[in-house]
Amino acid sequence: MLKLIEGSYASFFPKEMNAMFRNRAETFSERLRWDVVVKNGYERDQFDDANPLYLVSVDPDTEDYWGSLRLLPTTGPNMLRDVFPFLLEEGEHIESATIWEISRICCKDVDGQPERTRRRVNYALNELIMGVGEVAVLAGLSQVVCVFDARMFRVVKAAGCNPEIIGRPQRIGDTMCYTGLFDTGPGPLKSFRAATGIRDSVLAPGAKELAFA
C-alpha cells in the first residue's frame, strides 16, 4: 500500500523517510552511478525542501519500506526546469498547475512482496505507477512529466503507460535519458489497472484525506 506524505509533515514519518533516502542513495549513487550528493547514507537534494508529495510503498502488514517517488508541481522548483532544461528544445518549457513532475522513483526487491507481474515488473513499481494515476485523478491533473532512463522507459511501457517523448533524448553519463509526458485521468488509470492487474486502490486507508484535506 502507498502512504502519501507531504514534505512539510515528513518529520512525522521518520521510519519511512529514513528508508526512502537510504534507498535513493543505493539506487542513484551506488547502482546507477549518477552524480548525486550522498551524506551519511542519505541521498537528499534541494527539491526535498520544496514541500513535495511523496508516495511511499510499504508492506501492508509490517509497514516496511518497498519503494517511493516524489511529486512536485511544475509551477515551482522542479528537476526538469532547474536541472535538466537541456533535455527540452530551445524555448520549450513545461509549467502548468495541472502538470506535476515525478522524480526519484526507486524500489527494493524484498521478501513478502507479491510476485512480479506477467511483464516482469517489480510489484512496488507497479504500485507506485498506480498511485500516481490515483493521485492525479484526486488532484485534477491533466498530465505528469518525468525524466527517465532507458530501463525505466521499458518499465513504464510494461505498466500500461504510453508517454509522449518530448525534447531531445540525450545520454547523461552512461545512460540515455528521456523526458516524457503522461496523460492522466480515469481513462489512463483504467489502462494502468489492466496492465498491472491491480484492481483496487493502492492508497493506504485515510491517505487521500490527509493529503487532500
Side-chain angles (χ1 to χ4, degrees):
M1 67 179 183
L2 295 183
K3 294 187 177 184
L4 303 184
I5 303 174
E6 289 189 40
S8 58
Y9 293 101
S11 62
F12 293 99
F13 299 89
K15 177 182 176 181
E16 293 84 355
M17 293 295 100
N18 176 70
M20 179 187 73
F21 290 127
R22 290 190 180 281
N23 187 209
R24 280 169 43 172
E26 294 164 357
T27 300
F28 299 109
S29 178
E30 296 177 20
R31 184 163 62 82
L32 296 179
R33 302 295 182 184
W34 288 10
D35 184 19
V36 296
V37 176
V38 175
K39 293 183 178 180
N40 300 319
Y42 279 23
E43 189 284 310
R44 193 179 188 283
D45 63 22
Q46 68 267 33
F47 302 104
D48 293 301
D49 297 322
N51 193 30
L53 178 64
Y54 299 107
L55 276 61
V56 182
S57 173
V58 300
D59 185 302
D61 297 318
T62 66
E63 298 196 8
D64 288 340
Y65 173 93
W66 283 356
S68 58
L69 59 78
R70 178 175 66 190
L71 286 169
L72 282 165
T74 56
T75 51
N78 64 84
M79 297 197 73
L80 179 59
R81 186 189 73 184
D82 301 322
V83 178
F84 299 117
F86 56 86
L87 292 176
L88 298 177
E89 299 290 351
E90 185 175 352
E92 188 177 24
H93 68 281
I94 303 295
E95 184 174 339
S96 170
T98 64
I99 303 177
W100 288 5
E101 178 193 69
I102 305 170
S103 60
R104 291 302 194 255
I105 183 168
C106 55
C107 67
K108 304 179 77 169
D109 278 313
V110 297
D111 292 338
Q113 285 181 351
E115 293 182 0
R116 288 173 177 260
T117 66
R118 62 182 181 277
R119 300 187 185 189
R120 306 303 300 158
V121 178
N122 174 279
Y123 178 83
L125 273 177
N126 276 318
E127 191 174 60
L128 288 165
I129 291 168
M130 280 293 306
V132 170
E134 290 193 48
V135 167
V137 170
L138 291 170
L141 305 184
S142 60
Q143 293 176 308
V144 292
V145 66
C146 184
V147 174
F148 49 86
D149 61 17
R151 178 191 62 87
M152 188 57 68
F153 194 5
R154 293 190 294 271
V155 169
V156 297
K157 288 174 69 177
C161 304
N162 294 295
E164 173 191 356
I165 303 301
I166 60 174
R168 299 170 294 177
Q170 294 191 40
R171 188 170 296 278
I172 300 176
D174 296 329
T175 305
M176 182 61 72
C177 292
Y178 306 81
T179 302
L181 274 173
F182 301 78
D183 290 335
T184 58
L189 182 57
K190 184 177 180 180
S191 297
F192 301 163
R193 291 196 188 285
T196 63
I198 301 176
R199 299 180 180 179
D200 299 322
S201 173
V202 296
L203 303 184
K208 60 184 179 181
E209 288 78 13
L210 287 172
F212 296 96

